[in-house]
Amino acid sequence: MRNTARPPHSSKRPRLRAGLLFASLAVLTLATGRASRAETAAQTASWPVVDAVTTLSLDAATLSGLGLEITGLEASGRRTAHDLSVVPAEAPTFKASGAIGLRVVVAWDGFRGFEGGTLRHQGGLRLRGPAGFDLAGLVLRPGKRATELEFVDAKGTVMLTTAEAQWEMDAERHQLRFLNADVRVTPELAKRLGDSRYAGVAVGVLDMDATLQGGALPPSPPVGINAPPACGDWSGNVDVGLVNMSSIGQAGIATVNGRPVVVVLPSAELENVGTANVPWYSKFTNLSGVPFADQHPYLVWLMTRVNAGVLEPLGKSDLKHAFLTINTGCDPGACTDSHILGLGCADVYSTGTNNNVGSLAPRNEVTASTGIWSHCGGIPSHFDTDGNCAQDFSGLGENAFTHGLKAAEADLQVAGAQYYVEAFYIVRNDINIFNSMGYRQVTPAKPVSTWTFPTVGAYVQGPAINAWVNPTTPGPDANNQLVNTAEGRVQLAVKVTDVAGAPGKKRYAYALQNHDFDRRLRSFHVPFDTANALIENVAYADGDGFAVNDWVSTIDASGITWTVPAGTVNPPAELDYATLISFRFDSDVAPTPVETSMAIADAGPPDSINEIRIPALAPAGIAGEGDYHTLTPCRVLDTRTPNDGAAPLASASVREVNVVASSCGVPVNAFALTLNVTEIAATGAGSIEVYSVGPPTGAATVSFDAGIFRANNAIVMMTAAGKLNVKPTITGGGSTHVVIDVSGYFTPAAKKK
């Protein structure tokens, strides 16, 4: 980093307790060593390491699960602990010994990686066991990636490697603090352990303090005409992208609430893809400064499973406070202050950082739709129990299970199921939350006593609910709808599948996800004529393992309703932000389009909505059963063409579309349509609602940000005259073009006898 200065602290920075499992411990660093987006051939220099002290903490419990035991430990040095280090104070330290061949590569923005030869130490250790090896003379050398170091055993074999480190570099003093690097199992060691899935399992954490021989940093590449904003300039659009989750790990196994669970942790690689600097200040710093006194981003994550056609939640984390950014690969001229994410800059929060009890807190302190942490000024918080803006709690007595994502071990061992881990960065004023979240498919495995989570396929931006039902191409008997309420976003997906071994029966599965709607949800209603349908196997899932807060189902003539239990329960039952729950039942009736509804838990301003409606599918009944007919996609509205006015629709205006009178072949007895609705060239962020009669109640057909084209599929009821209404709503007024294509329609079917 170019600037290692940090604002003064109003309290001592929290330290990670030594008792935590280091099966995932490592913190933020972009370990790719990549050049900035604008650099083509970055000028670098190579500075020799002239002295070093390395501190190594290995987790005995994780090693024991792999059949390894630490023996022959011989420490030889002392260190000055860094206030951001997660290495326990009692961890052994080793000083450099003999000739040093290791070199450090630096560029205009500081540390880029390692090169050259080895770094040997006085002292070391041995790992005893069937796959044991000798590190009695601790030897490190540059790894396969620029910012990694390899452990070379006495026979010259690489058994361990670092990954996802944090670093600070003081170019004037020629000092490098290489911090909190994961120590992970290599493929060679995994092979010796008897299972390739052990490759990548973290068994400890490493710090290294190095003194360098060097001069001035190389100059910055040329800055273009549109120079990035300088530090302190907060103009532009905030847009933080979660661009990868390179690893998923475990942080402990225990019995919680009567069930064996494992704590699951993702890493999170992010990048500033907007046009504004993003504040990244540590908590209880920058208390009176701009912008957004004492604010920073937050990370939450959850795990889901698809099994027998149903998407189910398996667990969720609490809220992780961000505290520092490495600013790797920035645009030339970008701000690289360690508490500001500059333009083009990237950062990595490793699995270990996301397990740091000094950074984890309850979710209810942060408003997800705004990204604001409510604290100080007399407002107590997890880390400031009296609200005086001074930290008085650092997680003492807490561990990986207190705020972690706890997945039941039994739920991770279902043959044929697909598993997903999803993460979401909550950032104040972020213009696009859906590139701030993403997911990885994983294959959980526990070869002996340690869980591994190998990833499957590529990382995907957006919520994992889209992996279950694709919102663009949902397929037959499925739908996936997003609602932007202007107070936050809610998403509902439904899939209807045949019940295995039960001819004629259908399984109706619904997944309801609250992304950033802070007033929470307290009920979910699926309307249909229950008198004409067999209904069985009604179920609800939230993944937390507590029955006391399970939603209660009620079946009456209007359909099925799931509602939070009466009274106050702990854990709370209401559907909070960044949370998914699922509902299901079996029926002997084929599906038809309906409009589901959900009640809001918390009161809001007088003009706030009190119910959210989303199109979905349900068993056919009196209110709307029907047969579905496909069409070759046909355009019924394109405001760019002369026939449709050749002008965009103004915000809050309503355009009527006579679908039956079009040339698309929709008959007069059709009552619902399958559509693709596209927004083009909107002048601001907003949504488009397509509906039959109204006004609509917040059920956006497609939501969008300024300058980004968006499309979404929908099932929409028509008026009795075969018409639709189209209403755009754009923040601050403005306009947008709208294109609607119809791909099918529903007509009434004979009633079930």
Side-chain angles (χ1 to χ4, degrees):
M1 294 180 296
R2 299 179 64 190
N3 183 359
T4 60
R6 295 185 299 276
H9 296 275
S10 57
S11 64
K12 186 177 180 180
R13 185 179 299 278
R15 295 288 305 279
L16 191 69
R17 293 177 59 242
L20 287 181
L21 281 176
F22 290 108
S24 337
L25 272 180
V27 277
L28 37 113
T29 233
L30 186 62
T32 60
R34 66 182 180 86
S36 70
R37 293 183 295 181
E39 288 183 74
T40 56
Q43 183 179 355
T44 61
S46 182
W47 292 358
V49 175
V50 296
D51 196 12
V53 174
T54 299
T55 305
L56 177 63
S57 176
L58 295 177
D59 175 43
T62 301
L63 289 170
S64 177
L66 299 175
L68 298 170
E69 179 186 3
I70 301 171
T71 63
L73 177 63
E74 180 186 351
S76 62
R78 302 176 68 90
R79 67 164 179 157
T80 301
H82 192 286
D83 62 355
L84 294 180
S85 174
V86 299
V87 176
E90 68 274 15
T93 299
F94 311 90
K95 64 181 181 180
S97 176
I100 299 175
L102 188 68
R103 303 174 70 89
V104 167
V105 179
V106 299
W108 69 275
D109 51 357
F111 176 73
R112 286 294 182 86
F114 298 103
E115 66 178 13
T118 59
L119 171 65
R120 297 178 179 273
H121 300 80
Q122 179 180 332
L125 68 150
R126 295 179 179 87
L127 289 169
R128 185 172 61 188
F133 52 96
D134 187 351
L135 296 175
L138 186 62
V139 179
L140 302 175
R141 73 182 188 191
K144 293 182 178 179
R145 304 178 76 182
T147 54
E148 295 176 352
L149 292 168
E150 296 176 341
F151 292 70
V152 183
D153 75 354
K155 296 181 179 180
T157 306
V158 178
M159 294 296 196
L160 301 170
T161 184
T162 68
E164 296 182 347
Q166 174 186 0
W167 57 78
E168 276 194 341
M169 181 172 170
D170 189 327
E172 293 182 358
R173 297 183 179 181
H174 299 155
Q175 292 179 340
L176 172 68
R177 307 295 301 270
F178 188 73
L179 301 168
N180 306 319
D182 254 349
V183 177
R184 295 182 180 176
V185 171
T186 64
E188 175 60 29
L189 178 54
K191 181 180 178 181
R192 294 193 186 188
L193 292 170
D195 198 309
S196 62
R197 292 172 294 185
Y198 285 133
V201 170
V203 296
V205 60
L206 174 147
D207 281 1
M208 184 180 72
D209 297 341
T211 302
L212 313 175
Q213 178 183 331
L217 289 176
S220 169
V223 178
I225 297 175
N226 297 320
C231 297
D233 180 349
W234 307 105
S235 61
N237 291 322
V238 172
D239 193 3
V240 174
L242 181 60
V243 297
N244 197 15
M245 296 160 59
S246 64
S247 62
I248 311 295
Q250 76 155 55
I253 302 172
T255 298
V256 177
N257 190 33
R259 60 176 190 162
V261 300
V262 55
V263 175
V264 182
L265 297 159
S267 67
E269 181 179 329
L270 56 99
E271 184 176 349
N272 184 345
V273 295
T275 60
N277 290 323
V278 183
W280 219 271
Y281 293 99
S282 304
K283 58 183 181 297
F284 304 108
T285 66
N286 193 43
L287 292 175
S288 59
V290 293
F292 328 132
D294 201 14
Q295 296 293 334
H296 44 257
Y298 315 89
L299 184 69
V300 291
W301 56 97
L302 63 150
M303 190 172 190
T304 55
R305 177 187 70 187
V306 176
N307 180 42
V310 179
L311 177 65
E312 298 173 308
L314 300 184
K316 66 178 182 179
S317 74
D318 277 348
L319 189 86
K320 187 259 176 180
H321 290 247
F323 58 87
L324 185 72
T325 172
I326 295 302
N327 283 334
T328 300
C330 303
D331 289 348
C335 174
T336 57
D337 184 284
S338 58
H339 291 286
I340 298 172
L341 187 68
L343 263 61
C345 296
D347 192 14
V348 162
Y349 279 75
S350 74
T351 53
T353 309
N354 295 334
N355 188 43
N356 184 350
V357 295
S359 300
L360 287 165
R363 293 185 177 202
N364 60 2
E365 298 177 359
V366 170
T367 302
S369 59
T370 62
I372 295 175
W373 177 26
S374 298
H375 68 300
C376 292
I379 303 174
S381 65
H382 181 71
F383 295 112
D384 174 17
T385 58
D386 57 10
N388 70 346
C389 293
Q391 183 166 344
D392 53 31
F393 179 70
S394 59
L396 181 64
E398 298 184 341
N399 57 32
F401 300 90
T402 308
H403 301 288
L405 187 170
K406 298 173 283 292
E409 291 194 90
D411 287 341
L412 299 178
Q413 303 179 67
V414 177
Q418 295 87 47
Y419 294 88
Y420 301 92
V421 177
E422 173 183 332
F424 172 29
Y425 259 108
I426 298 171
V427 185
R428 184 167 181 173
N429 290 344
D430 198 328
I431 64 171
N432 180 12
I433 71 167
F434 293 106
N435 69 353
S436 301
M437 64 179 68
Y439 62 90
R440 295 296 301 258
Q441 184 176 352
V442 297
T443 305
K446 190 181 182 184
V448 182
S449 59
T450 299
W451 279 96
T452 66
F453 298 89
T455 57
V456 179
Y459 165 80
V460 181
Q461 283 187 331
I465 193 173
N466 292 345
W468 181 51
V469 177
N470 188 314
T472 304
T473 55
D477 294 338
N479 196 17
N480 187 339
Q481 294 286 315
L482 174 70
V483 173
N484 186 348
T485 69
E487 295 183 49
R489 281 142 284 217
V490 174
Q491 190 167 357
L492 175 69
V494 55
K495 179 176 285 190
V496 183
T497 56
D498 294 329
V499 178
K505 288 187 179 180
K506 301 286 186 181
R507 174 152 298 153
Y508 288 78
Y510 305 84
L512 177 60
Q513 186 162 6
N514 180 353
H515 292 301
D516 63 343
F517 184 76
D518 295 284
R519 290 202 287 134
R520 305 181 301 167
L521 302 173
R522 61 178 177 83
S523 73
F524 174 65
H525 175 66
V526 181
F528 64 99
D529 180 10
T530 57
N532 285 326
L534 171 70
I535 304 169
E536 59 185 8
N537 297 326
V538 179
Y540 162 86
D542 58 17
D544 66 6
F546 291 90
V548 67
N549 65 349
D550 286 354
W551 290 25
V552 180
S553 63
T554 302
I555 302 173
D556 58 25
S558 68
I560 299 181
T561 303
W562 284 269
T563 308
V564 299
T568 301
V569 296
N570 189 29
E574 292 80 6
L575 182 61
D576 203 357
Y577 68 84
T579 304
L580 180 143
I581 55 178
S582 67
F583 315 87
R584 72 176 186 269
F585 61 89
D586 297 343
S587 178
D588 59 348
V589 180
T592 194
V594 299
E595 189 174 61
T596 61
S597 60
M598 48 213 71
I600 294 169
D602 303 318
D607 57 348
S608 294
I609 57 175
N610 55 29
E611 184 181 61
I612 298 174
R613 296 180 177 273
I614 306 180
L617 299 170
I622 292 175
E625 65 178 6
D627 296 325
Y628 181 64
H629 311 268
T630 60
L631 288 172
T632 300
C634 180
R635 189 150 295 177
V636 294
L637 178 68
D638 187 344
T639 60
R640 301 169 300 176
T641 63
N643 287 342
D644 290 322
L649 300 184
S651 178
S653 66
V654 178
R655 170 69 64 87
E656 185 179 76
V657 180
N658 192 334
V659 179
V660 172
S662 71
S663 59
C664 290
V666 177
V668 294
N669 66 334
F671 63 85
L673 304 168
T674 54
L675 305 173
N676 183 273
V677 181
T678 304
E679 164 273 326
I680 299 174
T683 59
S687 62
I688 297 170
E689 290 143 329
V690 181
Y691 58 97
S692 56
V693 294
T697 57
T701 308
V702 60
S703 302
F704 49 84
D705 296 306
I708 301 176
F709 291 11
R710 293 292 184 194
N712 196 17
N713 285 346
I715 298 175
V716 179
M717 305 290 287
M718 290 192 297
T719 67
K723 298 179 181 181
L724 295 174
N725 289 299
V726 182
K727 179 183 178 182
T729 302
I730 301 171
T731 302
S735 63
T736 182
H737 280 294
V738 181
V739 174
I740 299 179
D741 297 301
V742 58
S743 58
Y745 60 89
F746 293 85
T747 56
K751 276 189 61 63
K752 177 182 171 69
K753 299 295 186 182

